[in-house]
Amino acid sequence: MKTNKLKTLIILVLGISFLSCGSGDDDGDITTEFGAVFVSSNTTPVVGIYDFSSSTVSSIQFGLSSTDSDGIIYSSVSDELYMASRTNNRVEVYTNLKETEASLNLNLAFSSSQDFANARKLASSGSKVVVSQDASDANNQTNAFYVYEVGDNAATLSNTYTTDIHLWDIQFSGNSLYAIQDNSDTLAVYNNFLSNSDGLVSPSMKVQIEGIVRTHALYYSASADIMFLSDIGDATSDSDGAIHVINNFSTKFNAAGNNGTISSSDQIVIEGSDTELGNPVGLAYDSDNQKIYVAERAVDEGKLLEFDLPSTNGNPSPTFSQNFAGAAAVYLAN
């Protein structure tokens, strides 16, 4: 049902500009008046949008054509929402969010060809959108990146790269692409990523993160030089998740060197029974307000969590916690 309050919320929440980075970034490309956190679902055909700009958090939901979605990007300039559809194995682009009534279905304006299977996350740089594909039986056990050129109401496949590591979350920082090595404790980076020709690409550098069992999500804040990494621990457990925070990240990453390690003493970790962290699969960070946003998949079948930036290891309770079925990814505009 449409109300003036809902219409106002949509205008406020979507009063943001294009974020040209995967999981979100704050390296100077964003100008905004209102903050918003977008959440995708891998069990329900909806996208949620949360407004944290006031003490009372407001939220709206829109319907999608895909029941299983993961990576998510929103452009205020074009009023377009980009989703990595695992239902339809394509990048889907939805339009007119600002004109759509809350709880109704968004308009699917166009989509890519069906090129990938078992998609995980999205990253973007300029007009290019990248999908990370994790190896599975559905894709003949192929780890790959699919690069699309988006414009003129089309998402056209421009490059396909296979790679020799399992993939999950990805994010651009300048010309480099950070990537989670799934089933491991390792963070990889591909320098000058988009300059590669089709075919096999290998990480320029890989670093292990001491203390992590199995990492899934990443978020790098270039302005604060902080890297956030999630640990899902045992995927069957809903109580052993953690968030690892690495301050002065670029110095520590480079000092570790290829196949090196960032030690536990160079990290801050939040974990424990009060955190509601089981399988944290998506991360974003608001550097202005020092808030961490988490898509938590295992607890209560999906939640959106918010934490204060920690200064020491601990077991803090979330400053915000709300159920969101199938929470798979978060995208921040701040």
Side-chain angles (χ1 to χ4, degrees):
M1 180 173 66
K2 184 175 180 180
T3 67
N4 289 334
K5 181 177 180 181
L6 281 174
K7 186 174 180 65
T8 300
L9 174 59
I10 294 170
I11 293 171
L12 295 186
V13 170
L14 298 181
I16 57 180
S17 61
F18 182 56
L19 182 58
S20 59
C21 198
S23 304
D25 200 301
D26 62 350
D27 58 2
D29 294 333
I30 307 166
T31 56
T32 177
E33 185 175 357
F34 298 99
V37 175
F38 291 70
V39 187
S40 64
S41 170
N42 60 22
T43 63
T44 309
V46 300
V47 60
I49 309 174
Y50 292 77
D51 178 12
F52 287 87
S53 62
S54 64
S55 57
T56 301
V57 179
S58 302
S59 66
I60 56 177
Q61 288 189 0
F62 294 123
L64 304 172
S65 66
S66 177
T67 301
D68 184 352
S69 300
D70 204 321
I72 179 171
I73 297 171
Y74 175 72
S75 167
S76 173
V77 173
S78 59
D79 193 20
E80 293 177 338
L81 180 74
Y82 304 82
M83 302 289 290
S85 171
R86 291 165 49 82
T87 300
N88 301 313
N89 294 327
R90 63 190 185 184
V91 176
E92 296 182 340
V93 183
Y94 298 86
T95 57
N96 299 324
L97 277 71
K98 297 174 185 176
E99 302 301 322
T100 303
E101 298 178 21
S103 80
L104 294 186
N105 291 338
L106 291 174
N107 174 49
L108 176 60
F110 57 94
S111 62
S112 71
S113 49
Q114 293 178 306
D115 304 300
F116 50 79
N118 199 33
R120 289 305 174 188
K121 302 298 181 185
L122 289 179
S124 67
S125 178
S127 61
K128 297 292 181 68
V129 172
V130 182
V131 178
S132 59
Q133 173 184 280
D134 195 23
S136 70
D137 289 342
N139 56 43
N140 297 316
Q141 296 298 323
T142 304
N143 299 293
F145 300 101
Y146 292 84
V147 183
Y148 296 89
E149 180 75 31
V150 179
D152 296 326
N153 293 316
T156 305
L157 183 66
S158 59
N159 294 97
T160 302
Y161 308 132
T162 57
T163 192
D164 47 7
I165 65 171
H166 286 270
L167 297 172
W168 204 277
D169 207 357
I170 53 176
Q171 181 185 341
F172 276 102
S173 180
N175 295 323
S176 296
L177 183 75
Y178 286 109
I180 291 298
Q181 180 173 329
D182 190 21
N183 304 312
S184 80
D185 59 358
T186 300
L187 174 67
V189 66
Y190 297 80
N191 295 330
N192 300 311
F193 178 78
L194 292 173
S195 66
N196 288 293
S197 300
D198 285 355
L200 178 66
V201 295
S202 296
S204 305
M205 186 171 166
K206 296 196 300 182
V207 169
Q208 293 178 287
I209 311 300
E210 186 178 14
I212 284 183
V213 175
R214 182 182 178 186
T215 186
H216 260 24
L218 72 89
Y219 185 99
Y220 178 57
S221 170
S223 62
D225 194 20
I226 304 175
M227 176 64 79
F228 301 85
L229 297 164
S230 77
D231 184 4
I232 69 163
D234 180 350
T236 64
S237 171
D238 65 358
S239 60
D240 64 347
I243 305 299
H244 291 239
V245 181
I246 306 173
N247 294 301
N248 302 314
F249 169 74
S250 57
T251 299
K252 294 173 183 177
F253 188 74
N254 292 329
N258 190 32
N259 296 318
T261 301
I262 295 178
S263 68
S264 296
S265 62
D266 281 328
Q267 307 171 47
I268 295 170
V269 181
I270 57 175
E271 58 186 341
S273 58
D274 292 340
T275 64
E276 300 182 49
L277 293 171
N279 288 3
V281 294
L283 288 172
Y285 176 61
D286 178 353
S287 60
D288 290 336
N289 297 298
Q290 297 189 320
K291 297 287 188 179
I292 305 167
Y293 296 98
V294 182
E296 163 53 45
R297 183 61 185 83
V299 177
D300 295 333
E301 300 184 348
K303 299 179 80 74
L304 173 65
L305 306 176
E306 178 195 66
F307 294 93
D308 290 324
L309 179 68
S311 57
T312 61
N313 294 338
N315 178 23
S317 297
T319 52
F320 175 84
S321 173
Q322 188 172 99
N323 290 359
F324 188 88
V330 292
Y331 174 93
L332 174 69
N334 59 342

